Amino acid sequence: MTNAVARYEQVQPSGAPQLYSVSETIIRYALLLGVILTPFMMWRFHPDIQFTLSDGCFLVAAIFAVSSGRLNLSPFADMSPWWLLSFCLMLFALGASSLVNGDPIRFAITGSQYVFAYLALPYFLFVGTREDEIRLAKFFVAAIVAAEAISIILFYLYGDVPGSLDWINHNFATGAGRLGSFLASANRNAAVISLTLPFIFYFAKMRFVPLWQCLVGIAILALALVLTASVTGFISSIAAVLIFAIASYGWRAWKPLAAAIGVLTLAVAAGLPMPVAFQERVLSAFEEGDISEAGTYGGRMALIEEAWKFSDDTHVLGLGSDQFRLISDEGAPVHNIVLLIWTEGGMFALLGWAFAMGILALIAVRTIKFDKTAAALALSVVLSFYIISNASTHVYARLWVVPVIFAARFAVMAALSAQQRTELATRNYSLSNARLRP
């Protein structure tokens, strides 16, 4: 079936005109709105269903991508089939466990979320050019920074007045004085910040965005991170920054790290006031050298101990999707994605998840010899995701997935571009030698 003939002309940076069909135009703008609305997790079609306005935009893009035959069937190059296989294994095991031991309806809900996030999104998100993908990532980061900037302003203006920000969501500013922002959760907010920070460093190093804009973005995200008072978010953010600096700069990493430490030292020496929640939850835990002093650590450890006990009986089939909370003494799912998938889906589901995480790590590591900056982005985002997911329940919300697959995609494209340049140089060298032979 041919695409619609109506087209519009857009001038690319190179000056060459680019024509887009109607379906291509809809896909481009739907994806753009989708990434911009990603941080607004509580903007949903129904309050009890995790299907946001962002997801609606992504769904429109998916429908038109399928109908026009524009799906990208290899978003992660040679790793794409293995990516598909790993999640199919995980979902098959989770579905079988739900059918035998749990509730198939709950699996239909959970499984569809994982399918949309990990099996569908990568195949229609990357249907444009490299410039399109970079632009989408820029808009994603800009949306996060803008959302955090607005949240900080509202937090300082109205955060001290109980219930004053409930019209946005009930956890925009928690009773403990933490910033939940438009995600309605301080921990989720901190997680998104830690996944976003490496992109700003990447854009600055690649000169995709002016340096002063990157510095402003880093300052906003750093302040928002402090206001979340999330230990996990703080640890994952520091780990992401360290990994990016070391992977991209090598032995020269001490320079930017020393500059960052110097700025922090000056801020502390100047008596920069720290939010009370951050002092009580984060600083006290690090000062005492005991992370059990941080937040809800005790309750989470109790859930982890329960999960270890349940795992003795879930080697083949698990409890079923969303069943952990029903049999737990705490009445909540374990905040550790590895244990949650193991107990609810069994060992084969865990194997599928581990395989997928290994693919992300492999993509990042093998890019090092081709493009250190792209590898640094992938390594830092993937590591941050590992840390966050192992302190979380199911991680199928698109706000988690979008930055992870963007980082993996950039690494894949950087490696492919480097390989193509090498092959071209080798071919040209061979042709030159052939011409010189008598």
Side-chain angles (χ1 to χ4, degrees):
M1 182 180 293
T2 59
N3 292 333
V5 295
R7 295 174 181 268
Y8 73 93
E9 184 173 88
Q10 177 173 328
V11 178
Q12 298 297 316
S14 62
Q18 176 67 53
L19 299 177
Y20 296 104
S21 67
V22 171
S23 61
E24 290 170 340
T25 303
I26 293 174
I27 292 170
R28 284 163 59 85
Y29 282 104
L31 290 176
L32 189 62
L33 281 175
V35 297
I36 290 174
L37 293 174
T38 299
F40 303 97
M41 185 178 177
M42 299 311 294
W43 293 3
R44 304 180 180 184
F45 291 95
H46 190 282
D48 296 328
I49 301 175
Q50 188 166 298
F51 188 78
T52 66
L53 293 181
S54 172
D55 295 335
C57 294
F58 284 142
L59 183 59
V60 170
I63 291 172
F64 278 89
V66 171
S67 63
S68 62
R70 290 185 54 81
L71 288 177
N72 184 348
L73 299 181
S74 57
F76 304 129
D78 59 329
M79 289 289 103
S80 300
W82 299 107
W83 176 265
L84 182 65
L85 179 63
S86 62
F87 277 103
C88 286
L89 175 61
M90 180 190 118
L91 291 172
F92 178 80
L94 186 59
S97 299
S98 300
L99 186 63
V100 174
N101 296 326
D103 182 356
I105 301 300
R106 292 306 307 171
F107 168 72
I109 297 172
T110 302
S112 62
Q113 292 281 2
Y114 273 107
V115 167
F116 188 69
Y118 293 97
L119 292 184
L121 188 58
Y123 294 88
F124 64 79
L125 183 59
F126 306 121
V127 295
T129 64
R130 180 173 180 269
E131 289 72 21
D132 291 332
E133 295 170 6
I134 293 173
R135 181 169 57 251
L136 285 176
K138 286 181 181 179
F139 273 100
F140 169 76
V141 173
I144 299 293
V145 173
E148 297 299 341
I150 295 171
S151 300
I152 290 169
I153 293 172
L154 293 175
F155 184 84
Y156 277 111
L157 288 177
Y158 306 107
D160 292 336
V161 182
S164 60
L165 296 173
D166 286 355
W167 62 275
I168 301 177
N169 63 66
H170 291 294
N171 284 313
F172 190 93
T174 70
R178 304 171 65 196
L179 179 62
S181 186
F182 295 95
L183 303 176
S185 168
N187 289 331
R188 275 200 298 261
N189 193 23
V192 170
I193 291 171
S194 70
L195 292 170
T196 305
L197 277 171
F199 282 92
I200 300 184
F201 296 127
Y202 176 75
F203 291 154
K205 196 167 189 299
M206 297 296 292
R207 299 182 180 179
F208 290 154
V209 177
L211 180 59
W212 71 268
Q213 293 182 11
C214 292
L215 293 175
V216 171
I218 291 171
I220 291 172
L221 293 187
L223 178 55
L225 179 65
V226 170
L227 292 176
T228 64
S230 170
V231 175
T232 303
F234 190 72
I235 292 173
S236 61
S237 296
I238 290 185
V241 171
L242 289 174
I243 290 298
F244 186 92
I246 294 171
S248 61
Y249 288 96
W251 64 271
R252 294 175 294 134
W254 70 269
K255 294 180 180 179
L257 292 177
I261 294 172
V263 171
L264 292 175
T265 303
L266 288 175
V268 173
L272 186 69
M274 288 288 179
V276 175
F278 184 79
Q279 294 181 38
E280 293 177 349
R281 290 177 54 87
V282 182
L283 288 185
S284 62
F286 283 96
E287 289 174 354
E288 297 292 332
D290 185 4
I291 198 172
S292 63
E293 297 292 325
T296 57
Y297 180 83
R300 295 191 179 196
M301 283 305 300
L303 287 167
I304 288 175
E305 290 174 2
E306 270 192 324
W308 275 114
K309 294 178 182 177
F310 295 155
S311 66
D312 290 337
D313 301 319
T314 58
H315 293 307
V316 179
L317 292 177
L319 303 170
S321 180
D322 208 28
Q323 298 302 299
F324 188 100
R325 70 172 75 233
L326 298 181
I327 65 174
S328 168
D329 293 335
E330 303 289 332
V334 59
H335 284 63
N336 183 296
I337 188 62
V338 171
L339 289 176
L340 185 60
I341 290 178
W342 187 357
T343 53
E344 291 193 345
M347 185 61 71
F348 289 103
L350 177 60
L351 182 62
W353 176 260
F355 198 11
M357 296 303 100
I359 289 171
L360 291 174
L362 179 60
I363 288 173
V365 170
R366 72 178 188 175
T367 306
I368 294 176
K369 66 178 181 179
F370 299 109
D371 188 327
K372 290 185 178 180
T373 306
L377 172 66
L379 285 169
S380 54
V381 172
V382 169
L383 175 63
S384 182
F385 182 72
Y386 285 171
I387 296 172
I388 294 164
S389 62
N390 282 288
S392 306
T393 56
H394 287 296
V395 286
Y396 46 62
R398 266 53 73 187
L399 62 94
W400 307 88
V401 182
V402 166
V404 174
I405 61 176
F406 261 129
R409 174 66 175 177
F410 283 5
V412 167
M413 294 307 294
L416 288 177
S417 296
Q419 289 174 338
Q420 290 171 357
R421 288 194 299 269
T422 301
E423 291 173 0
L424 181 60
T426 302
R427 189 181 306 115
N428 290 338
Y429 179 77
S430 300
L431 289 174
S432 298
N433 286 343
R435 293 193 186 112
L436 293 175
R437 289 172 187 168

